[in-house]
């Protein structure tokens, strides 16, 4: 007689408890994906209403290696559904991938660091049982995201049920593979911070590898990337189901490796232990120096990555700019991006938008450290040394501004050098169009400071302006949005006098957040587990003994 493994019963109960605690994410995120996809997808049929418009857009998309690296390879005879899956699907998978990586860390190492895993061990749940429960909850999240994406794409004229199913499987499979990679890395790192950094770094490498494969044909770099699943299935075209089976097998292998690593490591420690030798004390004269020393490695990494990405994109745009100057690019998405003036400046502006999004994300992450550390109790500990909440918040905001300056500065230097050699642009163009995006990062810092200082539970809302600005800049021409809306976007102010308002928003938000943080009481237990939910979780885990 076949018996069920002994860890399955506590694993199922653990998954049910986690699903109850994460019900907001399980419901809100798929709903948002459905609404946004259903809102944006129909514009592809109206923007490219004729066969000539569609053929011209597809031809221009295939010419640009930069866009191929960002979105993947587009079939030569693509229709409106395939074009939407190519562009909108790439951004959807990337953004959802970031969210899934962060949530995977939140329900694994972050909860373990908070003592949740120790409570589970007391209830008789072993490391494999806990991992299975977490995997079931994350799998449910990925399936719901795939269903929501498939339902949303049905709003596009010409999309059939088979196309929606294939697209949903591609989205769900991509998210599931990224979650499995993150869960495996979480078993190797020493804490939640290391797991979060490793997960995001792995996502960046996988996305860059897929771009190198699509643009340069380097199969060794990206044929195995989860982001290649969408183009392999080809929703709206071949609707090939075989890559989904291969992705399922890879998912099982990753989870089995994670289970093996979880069994072999100690609770609260990683399988790979770094820095186990004698550590020198961290010397800092104030909160700014402390924040700088704690984030210096991240700042250097982001600056080098921005320089590499900007240089590569500028080199990839050489043929596109040359064709535009010869009059071969007319209409469509790329005509609107390059046709307003000199094509070299237009493409450099496009690179500036991407670098601005990267620098703004860095600013939100660093400025949000104050609210995150308040939840973990570090802000309260620092206040015991005489450093007030306002000074700590201002220190992280200052560090975020310095970091975004370094990131944009490195990107400006790389894009300026490559652009002068290949695009026919000047150093002044690079300063105006790339470095001139710094006010956008400053505005994101101000919004994050205000939310973190006043309403730490709502600090995640600081990502909304960044995502909205990136969506308008990237999808505005394809969706035929009004030019006034595109010009008013967050990342459309580079080199324009209106960017002064973004600096004012950043300064006002930072000062207001510091004032509010100084006047209010600390709430170190907020965020992931309020008091009511904490007691509820304790009783739920206690029932696992039964």
């Amino acid at each position: 007689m076949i018996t069920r493994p002994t860890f399955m019963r506590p694993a199922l109960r653990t998954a049910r408890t986690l699903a109850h605690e994460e019900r907001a994410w399980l419901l809100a995120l798929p709903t948002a994906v459905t609404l946004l996809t259903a809102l944006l997808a129909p514009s592809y049929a109206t923007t490219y209403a004729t066969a000539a418009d569609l053929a011209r857009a597809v031809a221009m998309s295939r010419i640009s290696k930069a866009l191929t690296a960002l979105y993947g390879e587009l079939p030569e005879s693509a229709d409106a559904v395939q074009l939407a899956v190519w562009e909108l699907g790439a951004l959807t998978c990337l953004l959802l991938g970031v969210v899934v990586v962060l949530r995977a860390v939140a329900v694994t190492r972050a909860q373990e660091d908070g003592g949740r895993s120790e409570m589970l061990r007391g209830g008789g749940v072993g490391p494999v049982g806990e991992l299975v429960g977490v995997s079931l909850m994350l799998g449910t999240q990925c399936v719901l995201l795939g269903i929501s994406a498939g339902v949303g794409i049905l709003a596009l004229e010409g999309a059939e049920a088979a196309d929606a199913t294939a697209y949903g499987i591609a989205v769900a499979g991509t998210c599931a593979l990224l979650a499995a990679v993150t869960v495996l890395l979480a078993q190797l790192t020493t804490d939640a911070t290391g797991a979060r950094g490793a997960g995001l770094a792995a996502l960046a490498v996988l996305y860059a590898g897929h771009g190198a494969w699509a643009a340069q044909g380097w199969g060794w770099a990206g044929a195995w990337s989860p982001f290649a699943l969408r183009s392999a299935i080809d929703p709206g075209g071949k609707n090939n189901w075989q890559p989904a089976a291969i992705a399922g097998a890879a998912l099982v292998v990753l989870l089995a490796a994670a289970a093996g690593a979880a069994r072999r490591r100690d609770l609260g420690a990683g399988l790979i232990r770094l820095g186990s030798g004698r550590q020198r004390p961290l010397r800092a004269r104030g909160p700014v120096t402390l924040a700088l020393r704690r984030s210096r490695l991240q700042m250097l990494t982001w600056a080098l990555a921005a320089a590499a990405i900007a240089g590569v994109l500028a080199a990839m745009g050489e043929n596109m700019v040359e064709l535009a100057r010869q009059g071969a690019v007319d209409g469509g998405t790329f005509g609107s991006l390059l046709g307003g003036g000199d094509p070299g400046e237009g493409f450099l502006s496009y690179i500036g938008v991407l670098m601005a999004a990267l620098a703004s994300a860095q600013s939100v992450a660093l400025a949000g450290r104050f609210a995150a550390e308040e939840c973990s109790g570090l802000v309260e500990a620092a206040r015991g040394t005489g450093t007030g909440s306002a000074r700590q918040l201002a220190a992280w905001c200052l560090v975020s501004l310095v970091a975004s300056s370094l990131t944009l500065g490195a990107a400006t230097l790389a894009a300026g050098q490559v652009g002068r050699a290949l695009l026919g642009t000047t150093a002044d163009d690079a300063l105006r169009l790339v470095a001139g995006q710094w006010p956008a990062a400053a505005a994101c810092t101000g919004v994050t400071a205000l939310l973190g200082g006043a309403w730490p539970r709502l600090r995640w809302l600081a990502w909304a302006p960044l995502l909205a600005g990136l969506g308008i800049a990237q999808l505005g021409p394809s969706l035929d949005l009004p030019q006034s809306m595109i010009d008013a976007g967050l990342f459309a102010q580079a080199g324009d006098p209106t960017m002064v308002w973004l600096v004012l928003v950043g300064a006002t938000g930072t000062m207001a957040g510091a004032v509010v943080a100084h006047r209010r009481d600390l709430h170190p237990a907020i965020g992931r587990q309020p008091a009511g939910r904490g007691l509820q979780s304790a009783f739920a885990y206690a029932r696992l003994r039964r």
Side-chain angles (χ1 to χ4, degrees), residues 41-68:
S43 300
Y44 286 89
T46 57
T47 303
Y48 310 108
T50 65
D53 291 338
L54 181 61
R56 182 165 55 249
V58 171
M60 292 300 101
S61 302
R62 289 174 56 84
I63 289 175
S64 174
K65 286 189 176 181
L67 280 237
T68 301

Side-chain angles (χ1 to χ4, degrees), residues 40-405:
L40 299 176
S43 300
Y44 286 89
T46 57
T47 303
Y48 310 108
T50 65
D53 291 338
L54 181 61
R56 182 165 55 249
V58 171
M60 292 300 101
S61 302
R62 289 174 56 84
I63 289 175
S64 174
K65 286 189 176 181
L67 280 237
T68 301
L70 290 175
Y71 301 139
E73 186 176 0
L74 181 65
E76 186 176 0
S77 58
D79 57 9
V81 177
Q82 290 173 289
L83 189 61
V85 169
W86 174 74
E87 185 176 27
L88 181 60
L91 291 176
T92 299
C93 289
L94 178 59
L95 295 178
L96 289 181
V98 174
V99 175
V100 166
V101 166
L102 295 178
R103 297 312 304 162
V105 175
V107 298
T108 53
R109 290 312 299 266
Q111 290 195 357
E112 181 176 335
D113 293 347
R116 189 74 59 88
S117 295
E118 187 175 1
M119 186 182 298
L120 281 172
R121 299 295 184 277
V125 182
V128 176
E130 180 185 3
L131 183 67
V132 171
V134 169
S135 301
L136 289 174
M137 194 280 296
L138 290 174
T140 302
Q141 177 79 85
C142 295
V143 170
L144 291 176
L145 291 175
I147 293 174
S148 62
V151 171
I153 205 68
L154 286 174
L156 175 59
E157 182 180 356
E160 300 179 354
D163 303 332
T165 303
Y167 180 56
I169 291 176
V171 173
T174 302
C175 293
L177 288 172
L178 291 173
V181 170
T182 306
V183 171
L184 174 58
L185 293 175
Q187 311 308 314
L188 306 179
T189 54
T190 56
D191 54 16
T193 301
R196 195 175 297 113
L200 293 176
L203 183 144
V205 170
L206 293 172
Y207 192 79
H210 171 251
W213 178 39
Q216 302 295 336
W218 297 345
W220 59 268
W224 40 268
S225 172
F227 294 102
L229 182 61
R230 178 174 43 87
S231 58
I233 294 178
D234 191 16
K238 298 177 182 178
N239 289 337
N240 186 11
W241 309 106
Q242 183 178 1
I246 298 175
L251 184 64
V252 172
V253 172
L254 288 171
L255 292 178
R263 293 184 61 182
R264 287 169 174 78
R265 69 178 181 89
D266 296 330
L267 188 65
L271 190 63
I272 299 177
R273 300 185 180 183
L274 300 177
S276 57
R278 182 180 179 182
Q279 297 182 357
R280 292 179 297 179
L282 183 64
R283 302 183 183 277
R285 297 182 178 181
V288 176
T289 308
L290 179 62
L292 282 172
R293 298 199 63 174
R294 292 177 59 192
S295 56
R296 57 187 176 184
L297 180 59
Q298 184 207 60
M299 293 166 63
L300 178 61
T301 303
W302 282 64
L304 293 177
I309 294 172
V312 170
L313 289 178
M316 288 182 175
E318 180 184 9
N319 61 337
M320 188 68 181
V321 171
E322 185 64 27
L323 288 174
R325 285 175 176 156
Q326 295 174 3
V329 178
D330 182 22
T333 302
F334 308 107
S336 62
L337 286 175
L338 306 179
D342 179 68
E345 293 184 17
F347 194 79
L348 200 61
S349 176
Y350 180 76
I351 295 175
V353 169
L354 298 179
M355 294 301 101
L358 185 65
S360 298
Q362 185 183 22
S363 296
V364 172
L366 287 175
R369 291 280 292 271
F370 170 81
E373 292 183 351
E374 181 179 355
C375 298
S376 64
L378 290 179
V379 172
E380 184 177 8
R383 287 186 61 177
T385 65
T387 304
S389 302
R391 290 183 62 194
Q392 295 182 56
L393 177 59
W396 279 116
C397 290
L398 179 60
V399 169
S400 70
L401 294 176
V402 172
S404 61
S405 301

